[in-house]
Amino acid sequence: MARSMMLPWLAPRWHEIVKGIDRLPPGLMLVGTSGLGKLELAMAAAAAILCERRTTHGACGACSACQSLEWGLHPDLHLLTTEQLAQDLPVARAQLAARYLEPDTARGSRKPRQIITVDQIRTVIERLGTHSHGGGARVAVIVPASSLNANAANALLKVLEEPPGDTRFILVSSGRDAVPATVLSRVSVVECATPPFAQARDWLLENGVPAARCAEVLALSSGAPLAALRQYDQGVIEHTARWKADLLRLLEGALLPVSMAASIGNEQAPRFLSWLERLIGDVLARRHGRRDEMQLVGADPRDSDIESLLISRPLWDIMDSLQVYRCRQQRAVDAQLFMEDVLIAIWQKD
Ligand SMILES: [Zn+2]
């Protein structure tokens, strides 16, 4: 990927990486909010390392290495990810990732794994131990590094410290804390910042998101543009518009909590709960004088009704339970029942 094609907010980081590509440390970790495009950066760096005719802007895009990368066939690019994430990757990357995953047919009815297993790490170490196919560099991209379970992380330590031959590891993570300290201490961290609102909005506009929707999808994505675009493409906005209208009716006593929960439905419950947490957080922030473009309330005239009614409810308690729910949602909490409880707490007047 040429620099001009790099996502604009990652361009400064990309420039630094490509400038020092020959001096990259063996272990690099790209850290930043989920949905910024860190995998794009990692893959562009991998392509630049493997390219046979690299330019000052990165991979040439035309040599045989670049071509085989584009088709997901490059033998010296190792992409390790979870079964779950692999499902959302574009074809070429999914093909690379599949070399380290059980075939779908072997998985049967088992849910896709959300971890990178020790077997995946052992396999990559074994393959890196043999000669590179192109006789040159090899790159292993691990995404997300937070999905390495304890055994997988331990298996990785030695090879991170002493990579075989000309091997680079590029890890991707949404946060430092999410990665085992033993891994963190063996990589150089590159922080990828969330872009300023105006830059993110301009990019969303270029990608077909209507101006009136940019702030909301960015708010729902912690300001990360790729995540915001995904939210928009998935039609999240249609849901949130309805949820907001229903929330106002609930606060006014014109809608019962159970009816509202039923109309949201079990499938949308987790998404609704994270939307609600964000909205209540914004109401509380505004109450304390913090206002910015990326808040879920304030842009619409009807928002002031929601704000003034919500503020009389036990918002801190509701926030607490929403946060606890979010931290535990990997475990089987019944989202529908939990949502009803939260809506009852909002509906009841003190
Ligand atoms: Zn090339």
Side-chain angles (χ1 to χ4, degrees):
M1 186 185 280
R3 189 191 167 200
S4 56
M5 285 166 66
M6 180 51 71
L7 297 160
W9 54 92
L10 292 177
R13 283 283 177 259
W14 170 235
H15 186 56
E16 285 166 25
I17 289 174
V18 83
K19 218 169 116 189
I21 201 99
D22 290 322
R23 302 180 303 277
L24 281 188
L28 201 67
M29 187 160 83
L30 310 178
V31 174
T33 309
S34 185
L36 276 183
K38 299 182 299 297
L39 182 57
E40 300 306 316
L41 192 57
M43 295 302 277
I49 292 167
L50 296 170
C51 174
E52 292 153 9
R53 293 197 297 269
R54 188 194 317 142
T55 74
T56 50
H57 299 301
C60 73
C63 70
S64 64
C66 285
Q67 290 293 303
S68 68
L69 250 182
E70 198 176 321
W71 292 104
L73 298 171
H74 201 299
D76 292 318
L77 179 64
H78 305 268
L79 178 59
L80 286 96
T81 188
T82 66
E83 286 176 345
Q84 196 184 42
L85 202 78
Q87 294 179 329
D88 296 331
L89 291 175
V91 179
R93 288 179 193 173
Q95 198 162 304
L96 286 167
R99 288 190 215 151
Y100 290 94
L101 296 171
E102 267 182 64
D104 289 352
T105 45
R107 197 193 302 154
S109 59
R110 178 171 64 73
K111 270 190 164 180
R113 287 197 184 100
Q114 297 184 32
I115 54 159
I116 296 172
T117 65
V118 67
D119 285 340
Q120 284 172 273
I121 298 296
R122 284 192 186 130
T123 309
V124 76
I125 291 172
E126 201 180 294
R127 290 181 188 168
L128 290 171
T130 60
H131 291 295
S132 79
H133 292 259
R138 286 166 297 187
V139 184
V141 174
I142 300 180
V143 55
S146 55
S147 294
L148 291 162
N149 70 6
N151 288 340
N154 283 336
L156 187 64
L157 296 182
K158 194 171 181 313
V159 76
L160 265 184
E161 224 159 60
E162 295 167 26
D166 187 7
T167 301
R168 319 286 173 78
F169 286 88
I170 306 177
L171 283 65
V172 174
S173 177
S174 58
R176 288 170 188 254
D177 298 347
V179 181
T182 45
V183 170
L184 197 59
S185 65
R186 287 165 171 83
V187 292
S188 301
V189 171
V190 174
E191 295 278 358
C192 302
T194 305
F197 175 74
Q199 190 180 35
R201 183 200 51 210
D202 290 351
W203 184 82
L204 287 174
L205 288 172
E206 277 169 31
N207 282 278
V209 179
R213 300 303 192 194
C214 291
E216 186 177 359
V217 284
L218 280 167
L220 290 170
S221 316
S222 307
L226 295 191
L229 183 60
R230 200 158 47 234
Q231 297 258 14
Y232 180 75
D233 287 343
Q234 289 172 350
V236 172
I237 297 291
E238 280 85 70
H239 291 296
T240 57
R242 191 164 50 83
W243 294 340
K244 219 176 196 180
D246 282 356
L247 182 62
L248 183 56
R249 289 173 60 214
L250 182 84
L251 287 161
E252 290 170 342
L255 182 65
L256 289 172
V258 182
S259 316
M260 181 164 172
S263 106
I264 293 163
N266 201 30
E267 198 191 317
Q268 290 296 327
R271 188 173 269 166
F272 168 78
L273 290 166
S274 87
W275 172 82
L276 185 65
E277 184 184 344
R278 174 76 203 211
L279 182 131
I280 293 176
D282 287 347
V283 167
L284 290 168
R286 288 164 64 82
R287 184 81 176 167
H288 290 91
R290 287 200 306 276
R291 282 153 199 259
D292 64 52
E293 299 102 328
M294 283 200 303
Q295 287 177 333
L296 290 182
V297 280
D300 190 314
R302 283 171 310 170
D303 289 354
S304 58
D305 295 338
I306 291 184
E307 281 192 87
S308 59
L309 287 166
L310 256 186
I311 212 72
S312 67
R313 306 308 205 265
L315 290 188
W316 291 108
D317 293 346
I318 295 170
M319 273 300 265
D320 277 351
S321 58
L322 284 167
Q323 280 163 3
V324 169
Y325 169 80
R326 173 161 46 82
C327 298
R328 285 189 187 160
Q329 62 178 313
Q330 304 292 357
R331 292 178 232 160
V333 181
D334 186 323
Q336 184 81 23
L337 278 181
F338 178 75
M339 180 166 65
E340 282 179 20
D341 285 348
V342 169
L343 292 175
I344 288 169
I346 292 175
W347 173 69
Q348 281 172 338
K349 293 181 187 149
D350 278 347

